[in-house]
Amino acid sequence: MMSDTVRKTTLLPIVLLSCLSINCFPGTAQATDDGIDADASITTVTRGLTRKPLYPFHLPPGQSLVGISGYVETNSPSDHFSEALISLHMSTSAACPTHAQDVGDYPAINAHFPSVTLAAPIVKQNAPDHQRIPVNIHLAKPFPLTSCLFVILDGSDFAGKPYTMTAHLHVITTPTQPSPQRLELSGAMADEFLMSPQRHETAYRVYHAPQDTRILSIDGNVAAVTGPGSVFRAPLHWWVVSHSVFVEHGGCPQFPHDGTYSDNPALDAFMFEPQTTTLHTVYLKGDGISYPNSPFTLQPKDPILVHKGDCLIHGVRTMGADEPGGRPADGINTESQIFMEMTP
């Protein structure tokens, strides 16, 4: 803990968010439609993130991912904080789960079914509500797939009431074609923070580029929530949180290592320096107890060149209305699930 800014462990651990590199070799392409539907739903009664059922979906061989459309949704009867991470994965081994198989936490899942994450929309709410989050992912280049995909439904209302999670996703594919390009899907910009709008706090997740690379597209979503069970004290009035992805060219000495940094205003100056490029920003706006959610999507006209040693930075900034003196700091819970399609 650093002051009142607390970094929470992201629901999807780095073992599943790390890059996967694939050489686009010729597949045994065959005539297919435009993909498959990946539909799954479960109602759980838990007081924590204790269940993570897996739902497999099988593709014909020789297919590449073009995009993902559809939605994920939750239905909670609770008037307190609830959240779900509903994620789609590609198995990178011969192993594939059985229907609704639950092998434990994420390290156990990765041990049984090594995979790369294709999408992981996050849903948060703080009232009895039905919340539907659209998914519209469009890759710049087709990404070669294995024959086993699976959905993980990971969420809870933390109150022991019936909590429903649903994925209705259409996985859009095309026959794999020969290509010399090596593609990566990276979740290096995903993280979760507790922050105070009243104190105008900032937080960062930093990734130092190990080699020259090009960003072809950025997809995902960002969410924030206030209220009982999610933060220390809900803001009384308006608040805003911004999520941005920056490239700091030539390195970032203020961020010497990969990882997260927070609660240090001296780190904020890089955003306004000439060597920093802002790639994309999304604003989440609330008033009191609120739970905004927004896509985070960038489809650049030309690939974005990132040189070895440049820094990719996910920056989160908060602000809110002034409140009476002497009140304890307010807080929001905010999370990003941002993925980048990249190629050397």
Side-chain angles (χ1 to χ4, degrees), residues 247-269:
V247 179
E248 186 170 0
H249 303 278
C252 51
Q254 75 278 23
F255 302 122
H257 307 291
D258 287 358
T260 57
Y261 298 79
S262 58
D263 197 28
N264 185 351
L267 300 176
D268 301 344

Side-chain angles (χ1 to χ4, degrees), residues 3-79:
S3 183
D4 287 305
T5 301
V6 181
R7 177 181 174 244
K8 291 180 64 182
T9 302
T10 185
L11 293 179
L12 200 63
I14 197 67
V15 71
L16 292 183
L17 285 172
S18 56
C19 295
L20 174 76
S21 299
I22 289 186
N23 288 304
C24 304
F25 296 126
T28 55
Q30 60 183 11
T32 67
D33 59 10
D34 67 343
I36 63 168
D37 290 324
D39 295 337
S41 184
I42 191 172
T43 298
T44 61
V45 178
T46 65
R47 293 185 178 274
L49 301 172
T50 55
R51 296 191 60 190
K52 296 173 176 57
L54 283 61
Y55 299 85
F57 303 92
H58 298 279
L59 281 169
Q63 298 297 302
S64 290
L65 179 68
V66 175
I68 304 168
S69 62
Y71 60 85
V72 300
E73 65 181 354
T74 58
N75 196 328
S76 175
S78 176
D79 58 359

Side-chain angles (χ1 to χ4, degrees), residues 208-292:
H208 295 75
Q211 61 182 346
D212 289 357
T213 189
R214 292 179 297 157
I215 299 174
L216 305 180
S217 64
I218 300 176
D219 276 296
N221 81 314
V222 294
V225 62
T226 61
S230 61
V231 293
F232 302 113
R233 181 181 66 78
L236 293 178
H237 304 293
W238 67 268
W239 53 269
V240 178
V241 56
S242 66
H243 286 260
S244 303
V245 172
F246 306 93
V247 179
E248 186 170 0
H249 303 278
C252 51
Q254 75 278 23
F255 302 122
H257 307 291
D258 287 358
T260 57
Y261 298 79
S262 58
D263 197 28
N264 185 351
L267 300 176
D268 301 344
F270 80 94
M271 291 183 284
F272 312 104
E273 298 294 337
Q275 73 272 17
T276 299
T277 301
T278 304
L279 301 186
H280 191 54
T281 298
V282 165
Y283 295 93
L284 300 171
K285 301 178 181 180
D287 194 332
I289 296 177
S290 307
Y291 39 96

